[in-house]
Amino acid sequence: MIIIGEKINSTLKAVRPAIESYDEAVIAGLAKSQAEAGADYLDVNAGMFNQDEPDRLEWLINTVQSTVKTPLAIDSPSPAAIERGLKANKNGKPIVNSITDEKKRFGEILPLILKYKTGVIALCMDDSGMPEDAKGRVLIARSLIGKLTKEGVPISDIYIDPLVRPIGTGPHYGIAALDTIKAVKSEYPDAHIACGLSNISFGLPARKLINQTFLVAAMASGMDGAILDPMDKKIMSFIYASEALLGIDDYCGEYLGRYREGLIEF
Ligand code: THG
């Protein structure tokens, strides 16, 4: 599983004030703990700072890079903020989070992906919005993968986000995401999936139970990447157990290793 650590995000109540006050220790701490917990990428988001977003994002990235070498997922819909982030980047090949099939956004963000040769998370939405069902989402995934690869983006640099929406607001949202993952992964085995997991449980009690259960179903459907909290030992344990069960952890080597390190919790 490709783990994208979600904690350096200005929408989080505990994190926003640290960005507001340029508190390097808090951000560096989140970077270090997520990297040590097994994050492959660190998501960085300064979206709450509106017109100040490019400056704040640049500061976040410089702060992260002074602490860890983990590559970044630059989380913004704004081309100006994304480009500032890409210019500041020194931590290896980043992922742009995210592009969509909306005409304007696609046209503005594609040149950045090509210029900086980045990976890209592509959301299954277009100018008519977010399709309710998997059928509509898969059509958009196909359109995005077709256009991106035609422009020269390697398929293995594309991470399809199937859109995870709260099951509390629509009973079909779990299946819509799972069926999108299955269809995209069977049609494009070399593309990746990147899901924001915790949206699924928004508004419900015992959210972690829903997140964990959804994670297992999504991995069984072919999900190979997720944006989540890598410091959450239980969700990480579910990942290692699922990989062992799905035959993508040879002889349960990773599972056993994590167990010996005391990292398996249930
Ligand atoms: N897809 C893509 N990118 C994304 C998302 C997605 N980026 C943002 C988001 N969704 C994923 N990131 C987070 C970061 C933190 C939390 C959830 C998602 C989180 N939320 C708690 C909650 O909602 O209760 C805590 C809130 C708080 O403390 O303020 O921790 O889907 N491509």
Side-chain angles (χ1 to χ4, degrees):
M1 267 276 285
I2 300 157
I3 311 282
I4 305 171
E6 71 184 8
K7 297 309 272 186
I8 304 178
N9 190 313
S10 60
T11 63
L12 295 179
K13 284 186 289 285
V15 178
R16 188 179 175 162
I19 305 177
E20 184 93 60
S21 62
Y22 295 108
D23 187 334
E24 287 183 11
V26 168
I27 301 303
L30 287 170
K32 191 158 181 276
S33 330
Q34 292 187 100
E36 284 172 358
D40 299 297
Y41 291 88
L42 296 176
D43 195 75
V44 282
N45 173 307
M48 295 299 271
F49 291 90
N50 297 319
Q51 87 270 35
D52 219 13
E53 185 187 359
D55 287 339
R56 300 285 177 164
L57 189 61
E58 183 179 11
W59 174 80
L60 273 183
I61 289 172
N62 286 331
T63 306
V64 169
Q65 292 178 155
S66 65
T67 315
V68 297
K69 295 258 168 284
T70 314
L72 304 168
I74 299 176
D75 188 349
S76 172
S78 149
I82 292 171
E83 179 143 42
R84 191 79 79 77
L86 292 172
K87 280 197 174 124
N89 176 63
K90 288 182 275 186
N91 272 14
K93 184 171 174 168
I95 298 176
V96 169
N97 181 15
S98 53
I99 202 166
T100 67
D101 213 3
E102 294 161 291
K103 245 194 161 65
K104 180 165 185 282
R105 183 154 164 192
F106 188 88
E108 290 176 343
I109 294 177
L110 172 67
L112 299 174
I113 294 161
L114 296 174
K115 179 173 172 194
Y116 292 90
K117 301 194 190 321
T118 71
V120 60
I121 297 179
L123 304 183
C124 293
M125 60 183 289
D126 63 12
D127 288 300
S128 23
M130 300 185 182
E132 289 294 319
D133 62 358
K135 214 172 150 203
R137 297 179 190 191
V138 173
L139 287 175
I140 296 175
R142 233 175 247 144
S143 162
L144 282 162
I145 291 173
K147 289 198 271 184
L148 289 166
T149 52
K150 189 165 154 271
E151 293 286 347
V153 179
I155 186 129
S156 58
D157 282 349
I158 302 173
Y159 298 73
I160 296 295
D161 185 329
L163 303 181
V164 176
R165 299 179 69 185
I167 50 169
T169 65
H172 54 295
Y173 283 141
I175 289 293
L178 296 174
D179 284 352
T180 303
I181 294 168
K182 276 180 220 158
V184 169
K185 257 300 185 185
S186 63
E187 199 169 327
Y188 305 100
D190 295 334
H192 301 291
I193 302 288
C195 280
L197 260 200
S198 60
N199 271 352
I200 196 74
S201 61
F202 190 77
L204 291 173
R207 289 186 64 179
K208 287 189 174 182
L209 171 63
I210 303 287
N211 296 347
Q212 287 158 1
T213 309
F214 181 68
L215 172 98
V216 179
M219 287 184 69
S221 302
M223 179 179 75
D224 63 350
I227 306 169
L228 49 75
D229 177 4
M231 283 126 51
D232 179 338
K233 280 191 172 178
K234 282 195 180 161
I235 202 88
M236 295 299 278
S237 299
F238 273 92
I239 291 173
Y240 305 130
S242 297
E243 286 179 337
L245 286 162
L246 293 168
I248 48 181
D249 176 13
D250 271 353
Y251 300 100
C252 305
E254 183 172 33
Y255 179 79
L256 292 168
R258 302 287 166 168
Y259 184 82
R260 278 187 219 107
E261 290 170 50
L263 293 175
I264 297 295
E265 251 184 36
F266 55 93

